[in-house]
Amino acid sequence: MSLILRIVFLCCHILVFLSEISLAVDSISQDQSLSDDGNTLVSKDGTFELGFFTPGSSHNRYLGIWYKKIPIQTVVWVANRLNPINDSSGMLSLNTSTGSLVLTQNGSVVWSTSSLRKPESPIALLLDSGNLVVRDERDAESEAYLWQSFDYPTDTFLPEMKFGWDLRKGLNRYLTAWKSPDDPSPSDFTFGMVLHNYPEAYMTKGNQTFYRSGPWNGLHSSGSPQLRDNPIFDFKFVFNKDEVYYTYSLKNSSLISRLVLNGTSYVRRRYVWIESEQRWAVYTSVPLDLCDSYALCGAYANCVISDSPVCQCLEGFKPKSPQAWNSMDWSHGCGRNKGLSCEDRHKDGFMKLTGLKAPDTAHTWLDQTIGLEECKAKCLENCSCMAYANSDVRGQGSGCAMWFGDLIDIRQFAAGGQDLYVRMEASELEHANEGHKKGGVLVAVTVSLAVAALSGILILGWCYRMKSHINVQEKSDFSIKPDQNSGMQVDDMDLPVYEVSTIAKATSNFTIKNKIGEGGFGPVYWGILADGLEIAVKRLSTSSGQGLTEFKNEVKLIAKLQHRNLVKLLGCCLEGEEKMLVYEYMPNGSLDSFIFDQQRSKLLDWSKRFHIISGIAKGLLYLHQDSRLRIIHRDLKASNVLLDNGLNPKISDFGLARIFGGDQNEGNTKRIVGTYGYMAPEYATDGLFSAKSDVFSFGVLLLEIISGKRSRGYYNQNHSHNLIGYAWKLWKEGRPLELIDKSLEDTCFVSQILHCIHVSLLCVQQHPEDRPGMSRVLLMLVSEFELPEPKQPGFFGKYSSEADSSSSKQQLSSTNEITITLLEAR
Ligand SMILES: *[C@@H]1O[C@H](CO)[C@@H](O)[C@H](O)[C@H]1NC(C)=O
Ligand SMILES: *[C@@H]1O[C@H](CO)[C@@H](O)[C@H](O)[C@H]1NC(C)=O
Ligand SMILES: *[C@@H]1O[C@H](CO)[C@@H](O)[C@H](O)[C@H]1NC(C)=O
Ligand SMILES: *[C@@H]1O[C@H](CO)[C@@H](O)[C@H](O)[C@H]1NC(C)=O
Ligand SMILES: *[C@@H]1O[C@H](CO)[C@@H](O)[C@H](O)[C@H]1NC(C)=O
Ligand SMILES: *[C@@H]1O[C@H](CO)[C@@H](O)[C@H](O)[C@H]1NC(C)=O
Ligand SMILES: *[C@@H]1O[C@H](CO)[C@@H](O)[C@H](O)[C@H]1NC(C)=O
């Protein structure tokens, strides 16, 4: 072999070798190709991978992009959706003269891209965003891309993608669901931005509309008030003469999140990857509930998820077909009680409705430069204008949107909805206004709204799966007015005093079998009175340091505290050294026996947990504010929250600190009563207690309910943090989802849970003055308004004093969390 030939041979080897090497990276350039033999492109930071794959149980090969680092194959884009390759002869190459990507099967083209321009030296590159782009090697500007996969999304909307229109190119980027998990070909289920004058996105199946997002109102799309500032992603909507799109970006590039249109369950979900658990969590999902179903109630009707039936004609309107309406077919909608006349249009007025999702914008007119007054005048002038509103609701509101023709697909939100002014005939308007005065509209955000919302309305807005859990009776508990409950008992109600013999008989002489717990102030026994009433008897340890009369007076006062979220004190029993309190019996036991138990925790889905959280908050607010005694609980914890038959929470052991000689309600005590893990730092170390130390305990309890982990005894092996510290660390790192209890896995309330984590961190802040009061906490739990960033929490390291850390894990939970009473020698 001649020397020259040998060199050529060698060179060829090197070339082949080099081209193989370069295939292991992120681009294809001239003369290179990607064949279906295990080769892939991997984006520079290793996030995404492009190659051939086989979906589900199919035998076909597709060219696609997926997450490289995620073990569950998660395909985010597919090239040849329509033309599968049925063997391994697939090959992707770049035609350097045209700048197009070409996918072939045994030489024949199955898929190709077009290029905007004739390139000089094209290169195909898989970016770290998951975008496959063709560009000139020298021009990395995104504006200069010759082609990009982000312009042709399949079922997945990735961060940095634009969902909507590039009007200059006539390009519409929308999502199309896969036909099935085995078949990525486009189904007829799509979600895309529609260019009405006032644009909004529609989810459709064939020619049928499933759901619409509502138009962008400056803050969020009108139908998604839950879209708000959050730890995971930022979002924005761009609407100008060149472009109309929605986009989002991740706050921390180490997070992974995607939006997917699902053609099996007909929803669009946002998923977030939970690294520590190696799973995808559902963050949000639309449509969310019945009222999200497009035009469920027909024209001029409001869908109110907490009402039964959910559809309600607007005031001044009545069902068009009463018979159908009454049999729950609302599709005919409602018509005016009194028709409009175009000649008299100037006499018409407008009825203001609040808290709504703006109606379908198919027939709208928009002027972003004029305000509400001018908008009203314009609408009044045109007798086919049926409503107007601000197109941007931020601040005082601005811009003008007008609706022509019937108002369709309106729904009510308990929070985050917007105002709409509906045209009314003058006399009807008077009626409606009177009605409003009587009935009241959901406008003011007050504590009683918060309480009302907690009682069901808002919660229902989150997800209609909750419907079944909401107790209708709850509606009667709309407000906690001072003394509404206790006031009835102000006239001296004589507290029943039981004989020791009666109690002894009821509890089979305090047999150990009847012992159901060991609370902070002594053992608790189950018992049954002669009349069949089940009771829980707390046998107080004798060291109360109080005289008998004093004690009885205290008990009488405590017995007057009555609230649906407080355990009811039925009476007491006093004889010699024996002091006992008799309570109603709670068959479901205490909260800790649910949330910390692998099996029983499954019984508490998020809606039940939220119900419990709100109940505890209401009970505590009552103790702090609304009862005459202004009780600081001082030992709020999971084992002191009991659950009744309906899993309604009832706080127990309230007022005991008072009985036990804590005669102040605020201030400094030498006698510290509380439980490590729940005690606020200023209380545990200095004996300073206040309503804010209870708020701290509430925050800890909230974290426990969300995480299913104990405040104490939870130590991440890698860090010396307790639960608060762990939550704080995750929060700071933008990974709060990892805190959420695994048994809440399939919840569709992740954004609400995150909101609750935020509230809990505000409650456990180091300094009492930074913590919100309970009325504020209640409001925060249910409202949409932005919360302040929490400051560093108190006690987030390990506790230094671990008096009972030696107790065996096999023991009853209460021994791990026993209330301590410390007498400090000062
Ligand atoms: C694979 O596809 C080619 C081209 O569409 C077709 O001619 C061939 O019959 C197919 N082979 C099998 C095994 O389905
Ligand atoms: C590139 O595309 C052009 C136009 O379709 C075609 O004529 C040419 O053969 C292609 N080149 C290669 C290398 O496939
Ligand atoms: C691939 O193409 C070649 C040439 O066009 C043809 O002879 C061969 O049968 C094809 N193979 C398959 C499996 O289709
Ligand atoms: C929707 O599509 C179905 C089936 O393709 C057809 O029967 C129906 O008439 C269409 N409806 C409308 C309103 O176009
Ligand atoms: C669609 O939803 C079903 C049921 O929740 C799920 O099993 C499937 O994986 C989802 N498909 C996609 C593409 O997310
Ligand atoms: C009212 O507005 C509609 C929609 O913009 C328009 O088509 C119609 O001509 C207007 N009518 C009058 C009388 O201005
Ligand atoms: C992003 O997340 C990583 C890992 O969770 C964390 O270490 C980092 O501090 C976070 N970065 C920012 C800016 O929060």
Side-chain angles (χ1 to χ4, degrees), residues 305-339:
I305 196 74
S306 57
D307 276 3
S308 180
V310 290
C311 292
Q312 308 286 336
C313 289
L314 300 183
E315 282 196 69
F317 294 79
K318 57 176 187 290
K320 273 202 162 153
S321 165
Q323 210 175 349
W325 189 270
N326 291 335
S327 55
M328 314 262 270
D329 171 9
W330 305 292
S331 57
H332 303 276
C334 307
R336 292 181 185 275
N337 289 340
K338 192 164 178 203

Short mmCIF file of all heavy atoms in Angstrom, two decimals, residues 305-339:
data_model
loop_
_atom_site.label_atom_id
_atom_site.label_comp_id
_atom_site.label_asym_id
_atom_site.label_seq_id
_atom_site.Cartn_x
_atom_site.Cartn_y
_atom_site.Cartn_z
N ILE A 305 -70.27 27.49 41.39
CA ILE A 305 -69.98 26.09 41.71
C ILE A 305 -70.50 25.70 43.09
O ILE A 305 -70.81 24.55 43.35
CB ILE A 305 -68.46 25.81 41.57
CG1 ILE A 305 -68.18 24.31 41.50
CG2 ILE A 305 -67.65 26.44 42.68
CD1 ILE A 305 -68.53 23.68 40.21
N SER A 306 -70.64 26.68 43.99
CA SER A 306 -71.09 26.33 45.33
C SER A 306 -72.62 26.31 45.44
O SER A 306 -73.15 25.98 46.48
CB SER A 306 -70.52 27.33 46.33
OG SER A 306 -70.92 28.64 45.96
N ASP A 307 -73.30 26.69 44.36
CA ASP A 307 -74.76 26.69 44.41
C ASP A 307 -75.32 25.38 43.89
O ASP A 307 -74.66 24.65 43.16
CB ASP A 307 -75.31 27.84 43.55
CG ASP A 307 -75.33 29.15 44.31
OD1 ASP A 307 -74.85 29.16 45.45
OD2 ASP A 307 -75.79 30.15 43.75
N SER A 308 -76.53 25.12 44.24
CA SER A 308 -77.18 23.93 43.71
C SER A 308 -78.58 24.35 43.23
O SER A 308 -79.38 24.78 44.04
CB SER A 308 -77.28 22.87 44.79
OG SER A 308 -77.92 21.74 44.27
N PRO A 309 -78.88 24.23 41.96
CA PRO A 309 -77.97 23.85 40.87
C PRO A 309 -76.94 24.94 40.60
O PRO A 309 -77.13 26.08 40.99
CB PRO A 309 -78.92 23.68 39.68
CG PRO A 309 -80.07 24.56 39.98
CD PRO A 309 -80.23 24.56 41.47
N VAL A 310 -75.90 24.56 39.88
CA VAL A 310 -74.80 25.50 39.68
C VAL A 310 -75.18 26.68 38.79
O VAL A 310 -74.60 27.74 38.90
CB VAL A 310 -73.55 24.82 39.10
CG1 VAL A 310 -72.92 23.90 40.13
CG2 VAL A 310 -73.85 24.07 37.82
N CYS A 311 -76.17 26.47 37.90
CA CYS A 311 -76.51 27.54 36.97
C CYS A 311 -77.59 28.46 37.53
O CYS A 311 -78.61 27.99 38.05
CB CYS A 311 -77.00 26.94 35.64
SG CYS A 311 -75.67 26.12 34.76
N GLN A 312 -77.35 29.74 37.44
CA GLN A 312 -78.29 30.74 37.94
C GLN A 312 -78.46 31.81 36.86
O GLN A 312 -77.47 32.34 36.37
CB GLN A 312 -77.72 31.41 39.20
CG GLN A 312 -77.26 30.46 40.29
CD GLN A 312 -78.42 29.83 41.02
OE1 GLN A 312 -79.53 30.39 41.06
NE2 GLN A 312 -78.22 28.64 41.59
N CYS A 313 -79.72 32.12 36.51
CA CYS A 313 -79.92 33.22 35.57
C CYS A 313 -79.41 34.51 36.22
O CYS A 313 -79.52 34.68 37.44
CB CYS A 313 -81.41 33.39 35.25
SG CYS A 313 -82.06 32.05 34.23
N LEU A 314 -78.87 35.43 35.42
CA LEU A 314 -78.51 36.73 35.95
C LEU A 314 -79.78 37.42 36.43
O LEU A 314 -80.89 37.11 35.98
CB LEU A 314 -77.85 37.59 34.87
CG LEU A 314 -76.56 37.05 34.24
CD1 LEU A 314 -76.02 38.06 33.24
CD2 LEU A 314 -75.52 36.75 35.30
N GLU A 315 -79.65 38.38 37.32
CA GLU A 315 -80.82 39.11 37.78
C GLU A 315 -81.48 39.83 36.62
O GLU A 315 -80.78 40.41 35.77
CB GLU A 315 -80.42 40.13 38.84
CG GLU A 315 -80.18 39.47 40.17
CD GLU A 315 -80.17 40.47 41.30
OE1 GLU A 315 -81.24 41.04 41.59
OE2 GLU A 315 -79.09 40.69 41.84
N GLY A 316 -82.79 39.77 36.57
CA GLY A 316 -83.49 40.38 35.45
C GLY A 316 -83.64 39.43 34.27
O GLY A 316 -84.13 39.82 33.21
N PHE A 317 -83.19 38.20 34.42
CA PHE A 317 -83.30 37.20 33.36
C PHE A 317 -83.99 35.96 33.93
O PHE A 317 -83.95 35.71 35.13
CB PHE A 317 -81.92 36.81 32.83
CG PHE A 317 -81.21 37.93 32.11
CD1 PHE A 317 -80.56 38.93 32.83
CD2 PHE A 317 -81.17 37.98 30.72
CE1 PHE A 317 -79.91 39.97 32.18
CE2 PHE A 317 -80.52 39.00 30.07
CZ PHE A 317 -79.88 40.01 30.80
N LYS A 318 -84.65 35.21 33.03
CA LYS A 318 -85.29 33.97 33.49
C LYS A 318 -85.02 32.86 32.48
O LYS A 318 -84.70 33.14 31.31
CB LYS A 318 -86.78 34.19 33.67
CG LYS A 318 -87.51 34.69 32.44
CD LYS A 318 -89.01 34.77 32.73
CE LYS A 318 -89.82 35.09 31.50
NZ LYS A 318 -89.67 36.45 30.98
N PRO A 319 -85.12 31.61 32.91
CA PRO A 319 -84.81 30.50 32.01
C PRO A 319 -85.64 30.58 30.72
O PRO A 319 -86.84 30.86 30.77
CB PRO A 319 -85.19 29.25 32.81
CG PRO A 319 -85.11 29.68 34.23
CD PRO A 319 -85.49 31.14 34.26
N LYS A 320 -84.98 30.34 29.59
CA LYS A 320 -85.70 30.37 28.33
C LYS A 320 -86.63 29.19 28.22
O LYS A 320 -87.71 29.28 27.67
CB LYS A 320 -84.70 30.37 27.16
CG LYS A 320 -84.24 31.75 26.79
CD LYS A 320 -83.72 31.80 25.37
CE LYS A 320 -83.69 33.22 24.86
NZ LYS A 320 -82.66 33.41 23.83
N SER A 321 -86.16 28.08 28.73
CA SER A 321 -86.99 26.88 28.73
C SER A 321 -87.04 26.35 30.16
O SER A 321 -86.21 25.55 30.57
CB SER A 321 -86.39 25.84 27.79
OG SER A 321 -86.97 24.59 28.04
N PRO A 322 -88.04 26.85 30.94
CA PRO A 322 -88.09 26.50 32.37
C PRO A 322 -88.09 24.99 32.59
O PRO A 322 -87.47 24.50 33.53
CB PRO A 322 -89.41 27.12 32.84
CG PRO A 322 -89.70 28.21 31.85
CD PRO A 322 -89.13 27.75 30.55
N GLN A 323 -88.77 24.28 31.70
CA GLN A 323 -88.87 22.83 31.89
C GLN A 323 -87.49 22.18 31.78
O GLN A 323 -87.10 21.40 32.66
CB GLN A 323 -89.79 22.26 30.82
CG GLN A 323 -90.52 21.04 31.30
CD GLN A 323 -91.51 20.55 30.25
OE1 GLN A 323 -91.80 21.25 29.27
NE2 GLN A 323 -92.04 19.37 30.46
N ALA A 324 -86.78 22.53 30.72
CA ALA A 324 -85.44 21.97 30.53
C ALA A 324 -84.55 22.41 31.69
O ALA A 324 -83.79 21.63 32.26
CB ALA A 324 -84.85 22.44 29.20
N TRP A 325 -84.68 23.69 32.05
CA TRP A 325 -83.85 24.25 33.12
C TRP A 325 -84.03 23.46 34.41
O TRP A 325 -83.07 23.10 35.08
CB TRP A 325 -84.23 25.71 33.31
CG TRP A 325 -83.31 26.48 34.22
CD1 TRP A 325 -83.44 26.62 35.57
CD2 TRP A 325 -82.13 27.19 33.85
NE1 TRP A 325 -82.42 27.39 36.07
CE2 TRP A 325 -81.59 27.76 35.03
CE3 TRP A 325 -81.46 27.42 32.64
CZ2 TRP A 325 -80.44 28.53 35.05
CZ3 TRP A 325 -80.31 28.19 32.66
CH2 TRP A 325 -79.80 28.73 33.85
N ASN A 326 -85.30 23.20 34.72
CA ASN A 326 -85.56 22.49 35.96
C ASN A 326 -85.09 21.05 35.93
O ASN A 326 -84.88 20.44 36.97
CB ASN A 326 -87.06 22.55 36.31
CG ASN A 326 -87.46 23.96 36.69
OD1 ASN A 326 -86.62 24.75 37.14
ND2 ASN A 326 -88.73 24.30 36.47
N SER A 327 -84.95 20.51 34.73
CA SER A 327 -84.41 19.15 34.68
C SER A 327 -82.91 19.19 34.40
O SER A 327 -82.34 18.28 33.83
CB SER A 327 -85.15 18.31 33.63
OG SER A 327 -85.10 18.97 32.40
N MET A 328 -82.28 20.27 34.81
CA MET A 328 -80.83 20.43 34.79
C MET A 328 -80.24 20.51 33.38
O MET A 328 -79.05 20.30 33.21
CB MET A 328 -80.14 19.30 35.57
CG MET A 328 -80.76 18.99 36.90
SD MET A 328 -79.88 19.80 38.22
CE MET A 328 -78.67 18.55 38.63
N ASP A 329 -81.06 20.79 32.39
CA ASP A 329 -80.50 21.08 31.08
C ASP A 329 -80.53 22.59 30.93
O ASP A 329 -81.56 23.18 30.66
CB ASP A 329 -81.34 20.40 29.98
CG ASP A 329 -80.92 20.88 28.59
OD1 ASP A 329 -79.89 21.59 28.49
OD2 ASP A 329 -81.61 20.54 27.61
N TRP A 330 -79.35 23.17 31.14
CA TRP A 330 -79.29 24.63 31.18
C TRP A 330 -78.88 25.24 29.84
O TRP A 330 -78.68 26.45 29.75
CB TRP A 330 -78.30 25.07 32.26
CG TRP A 330 -78.60 24.50 33.62
CD1 TRP A 330 -79.67 24.80 34.39
CD2 TRP A 330 -77.82 23.56 34.35
NE1 TRP A 330 -79.61 24.11 35.57
CE2 TRP A 330 -78.48 23.33 35.58
CE3 TRP A 330 -76.62 22.87 34.10
CZ2 TRP A 330 -77.99 22.45 36.54
CZ3 TRP A 330 -76.14 22.00 35.06
CH2 TRP A 330 -76.81 21.80 36.27
N SER A 331 -78.70 24.38 28.84
CA SER A 331 -78.06 24.85 27.61
C SER A 331 -78.86 25.93 26.88
O SER A 331 -78.30 26.71 26.13
CB SER A 331 -77.82 23.66 26.67
OG SER A 331 -79.05 23.03 26.40
N HIS A 332 -80.17 26.00 27.11
CA HIS A 332 -80.97 27.04 26.46
C HIS A 332 -80.72 28.41 27.07
O HIS A 332 -81.06 29.43 26.49
CB HIS A 332 -82.46 26.71 26.57
CG HIS A 332 -82.81 25.37 25.99
ND1 HIS A 332 -83.03 25.19 24.65
CD2 HIS A 332 -82.92 24.16 26.56
CE1 HIS A 332 -83.29 23.90 24.43
NE2 HIS A 332 -83.21 23.26 25.58
N GLY A 333 -80.17 28.40 28.27
CA GLY A 333 -79.81 29.66 28.89
C GLY A 333 -81.01 30.47 29.35
O GLY A 333 -82.12 29.96 29.51
N CYS A 334 -80.77 31.76 29.53
CA CYS A 334 -81.80 32.64 30.07
C CYS A 334 -82.07 33.80 29.11
O CYS A 334 -81.22 34.14 28.29
CB CYS A 334 -81.35 33.19 31.42
SG CYS A 334 -80.84 31.90 32.57
N GLY A 335 -83.25 34.36 29.25
CA GLY A 335 -83.61 35.53 28.46
C GLY A 335 -84.06 36.65 29.38
O GLY A 335 -84.31 36.44 30.57
N ARG A 336 -84.20 37.84 28.82
CA ARG A 336 -84.56 38.99 29.64
C ARG A 336 -86.01 38.91 30.10
O ARG A 336 -86.89 38.48 29.35
CB ARG A 336 -84.38 40.27 28.82
CG ARG A 336 -82.95 40.57 28.52
CD ARG A 336 -82.80 41.86 27.74
NE ARG A 336 -81.40 42.03 27.37
CZ ARG A 336 -80.50 42.59 28.18
NH1 ARG A 336 -80.87 43.07 29.35
NH2 ARG A 336 -79.23 42.68 27.83
N ASN A 337 -86.22 39.34 31.34
CA ASN A 337 -87.60 39.48 31.81
C ASN A 337 -88.32 40.51 30.95
O ASN A 337 -89.48 40.35 30.59
CB ASN A 337 -87.63 39.95 33.27
CG ASN A 337 -87.17 38.86 34.21
OD1 ASN A 337 -87.19 37.67 33.84
ND2 ASN A 337 -86.75 39.24 35.39
N LYS A 338 -87.60 41.57 30.66
CA LYS A 338 -88.17 42.63 29.86
C LYS A 338 -87.19 42.99 28.75
O LYS A 338 -86.03 43.31 29.02
CB LYS A 338 -88.43 43.85 30.75
CG LYS A 338 -89.28 44.88 30.09
CD LYS A 338 -89.84 45.88 31.09
CE LYS A 338 -90.65 46.94 30.35
NZ LYS A 338 -90.76 48.17 31.11
N GLY A 339 -87.69 42.89 27.51
CA GLY A 339 -86.79 43.07 26.36
C GLY A 339 -86.28 44.49 26.22
O GLY A 339 -86.80 45.42 26.82
#
